[in-house]
Amino acid sequence: MAIKTTISELAALPILETAAQVITLNLNLSKLAYDEAEQLRVKNLLKEIRRKLGTEADSFVTEVNDLVRQQLPYAGITVVFESSAAAVYYVDRTSIEESTVHVGETIDFLMLLSEAPNSDYTLIELNRDSSQLFRLQNKKVQVLKIPDYPTSLQDALGSELSKSELNFHARGGEAFYHGHSEISQEKQIDQERYYRYLIEFLGKASSLSKSTFILMGLPQNINLFEKLNENLTIAAVRVEQSVQKLSTAEIAERVNDRIDNDNKKTSVAAVTKDFKDNLYTDLGNIQNMLNAHDIRYLFVAPEAEIAKKGPELYPQINRLLKQALIQQTAISVVTQQPQMPLVSAAAYAK
């Protein structure tokens, strides 16, 4: 039975570049539902796979046909098959322009990313005394339930909550209060302790260990969380407003808009303006930088552009992409700048 997964999880699969054959198949499910020409195209793609792999492809073809018959609620899927393990995986996609296939010694990550790359994030709603987690997957948002997650300041601190020590005295019919510390200061201290608790909890949660987090909340809450954080991977994208009263659909709309804007900024604008004096284009240098975890952004031309201008570089670029995905490096497929190098990278500021 095919296993649903993500692009990041596919990159982490222990698939060695051996004589074993790996299939990467993009399917446009929307077209397959009604378009006879697309149905014929996919039928021919499966014939091509059978011709290349022989009987080893039988189980894969069966799984693909089963997935198509299920009428899955996605615009498209990418199906991956590793022949030596006979394992089939699939990733749901927001769009697939065209059903295509690649058969080689490893997963074709360039083909995966060139077709509407899907980034998955964990979203953190940050209020002064409460928090909630969401999962952004396939551009949709749903509440994320993690056992024992401290959704309130009371859950995290319990009896350790600060209490303002107020003294009282009356004079001339008027009541006067003075305290060893102001209530607002106590609340600020509790908020900081709460955020430290959240950061420690999220860092230890095994299901979130590889997550990239998008912060949502008032600017002062986001700034405090980022100031206290040392270990969590925080995305450059942020939603600087309270989302307490928003539905998951409204949260998805705001987050996806900001991600789209950030992708544009970190692709075309980044290459032509922001990092133009700090871009590395030599593949050897980029490989060394990846090994040292020094890459902030990786920019790559689309699959068709590389196949046309540097087909001999395709396997090397594919390996770079796999390593970058494992390291959760920000990757942008830049389609608007055909004159740019096939691959370029921006380093972290020293």
Side-chain angles (χ1 to χ4, degrees):
M1 185 176 185
I3 303 166
K4 187 178 179 182
T5 187
T6 66
I7 294 177
S8 296
E9 289 171 350
L10 282 176
L13 288 175
I15 298 177
L16 301 176
E17 292 190 24
T18 64
Q21 293 294 299
V22 180
I23 302 169
T24 310
L25 174 66
N26 280 337
L27 292 176
N28 185 322
L29 294 183
S30 298
K31 278 189 178 181
L32 275 172
Y34 67 87
D35 191 323
E36 291 185 2
E38 186 69 11
Q39 294 166 6
L40 179 60
R41 178 181 178 80
V42 171
K43 184 177 180 180
N44 288 333
L45 288 177
L46 294 178
K47 282 184 178 179
E48 179 186 344
I49 291 169
R50 273 200 172 103
R51 180 179 59 79
K52 289 184 176 180
L53 270 70
T55 56
E56 286 185 347
D58 288 349
S59 60
F60 173 74
V61 172
T62 299
E63 291 286 0
V64 169
N65 288 327
D66 285 346
L67 287 169
V68 172
R69 278 194 293 267
Q70 288 177 39
Q71 297 183 330
L72 297 169
Y74 314 124
I77 56 175
T78 298
V79 191
V80 172
F81 174 72
E82 202 266 289
S83 62
S84 65
V88 179
Y89 306 88
Y90 75 96
V91 180
D92 57 276
R93 315 302 302 277
T94 54
S95 68
I96 293 288
E97 292 299 323
E98 186 177 76
S99 295
T100 52
V101 68
H102 175 267
V103 180
E105 296 178 343
T106 187
I107 297 171
D108 191 335
F109 292 102
L110 190 56
M111 191 172 89
L112 269 166
L113 295 174
S114 290
E115 286 279 5
N118 299 30
S119 295
D120 300 331
Y121 295 94
T122 299
L123 314 179
I124 311 178
E125 175 194 334
L126 291 172
N127 306 303
R128 187 192 64 77
D129 56 3
S130 67
S131 174
Q132 190 170 9
L133 295 179
F134 300 86
R135 172 71 75 192
L136 175 68
Q137 192 168 42
N138 199 31
K139 294 195 174 184
K140 297 178 182 177
V141 168
Q142 59 184 12
V143 175
L144 181 59
K145 299 291 186 181
I146 301 294
D148 301 322
Y149 182 74
T151 56
S152 72
L153 187 149
Q154 178 71 45
D155 291 340
L157 303 185
S159 61
E160 295 181 13
L161 271 170
S162 301
K163 292 181 174 62
S164 186
E165 298 178 31
L166 295 176
N167 293 329
F168 165 88
H169 71 274
R171 185 179 64 196
E174 296 181 1
F176 296 88
Y177 296 86
H178 65 273
H180 297 298
S181 58
E182 296 289 341
I183 293 177
S184 60
Q185 183 180 356
E186 293 287 0
K187 288 183 176 180
Q188 185 175 351
I189 292 171
D190 281 341
Q191 182 180 7
E192 182 172 324
R193 294 168 68 210
Y194 179 40
Y195 284 7
R196 289 187 188 279
Y197 189 98
L198 290 176
I199 291 166
E200 182 179 4
F201 180 95
L202 293 169
K204 291 180 178 178
S206 58
S207 60
L208 299 174
S209 61
K210 295 183 179 180
S211 287
T212 297
F213 296 92
I214 291 179
L215 306 183
M216 307 184 298
L218 298 177
Q220 60 267 31
N221 294 340
I222 292 177
N223 291 338
L224 176 60
F225 193 91
E226 288 187 323
K227 177 182 176 182
L228 298 174
N229 175 59
E230 293 182 354
N231 300 316
L232 303 180
T233 302
I234 305 296
V237 176
R238 43 160 60 183
V239 179
E240 292 184 316
Q241 69 172 95
S242 173
V243 298
Q244 278 186 291
K245 296 181 180 180
L246 299 183
S247 67
T248 53
E250 290 171 323
I251 292 173
E253 181 181 0
R254 283 160 176 76
V255 173
N256 286 319
D257 282 346
R258 284 159 177 79
I259 290 174
D260 289 342
N261 289 334
D262 186 69
N263 285 341
K264 292 175 184 176
K265 177 184 175 184
T266 58
S267 56
V268 178
V271 174
T272 61
K273 178 181 175 182
D274 300 342
F275 300 114
K276 68 176 183 179
D277 297 323
N278 187 34
L279 281 179
Y280 297 82
T281 59
D282 180 79
L283 291 184
N285 286 342
I286 294 174
Q287 181 65 71
N288 291 334
M289 291 166 65
L290 267 177
N291 293 343
H293 293 253
D294 281 343
I295 291 183
R296 182 181 179 188
Y297 296 112
L298 185 66
F299 307 105
V300 60
E303 174 193 16
E305 193 79 9
I306 294 174
K308 180 173 65 175
K309 293 182 178 179
E312 73 283 356
L313 300 176
Y314 204 101
Q316 185 178 0
I317 293 172
N318 200 51
R319 286 191 290 270
L320 290 175
L321 288 173
K322 177 179 180 177
Q323 187 173 346
L325 285 167
I326 292 172
Q327 295 179 9
Q328 298 184 10
T329 301
I331 301 172
S332 292
V333 179
V334 184
T335 59
Q336 301 94 331
Q337 294 292 324
Q339 75 277 13
M340 69 171 285
L342 296 181
V343 181
S344 53
Y348 283 101
K350 300 297 185 182

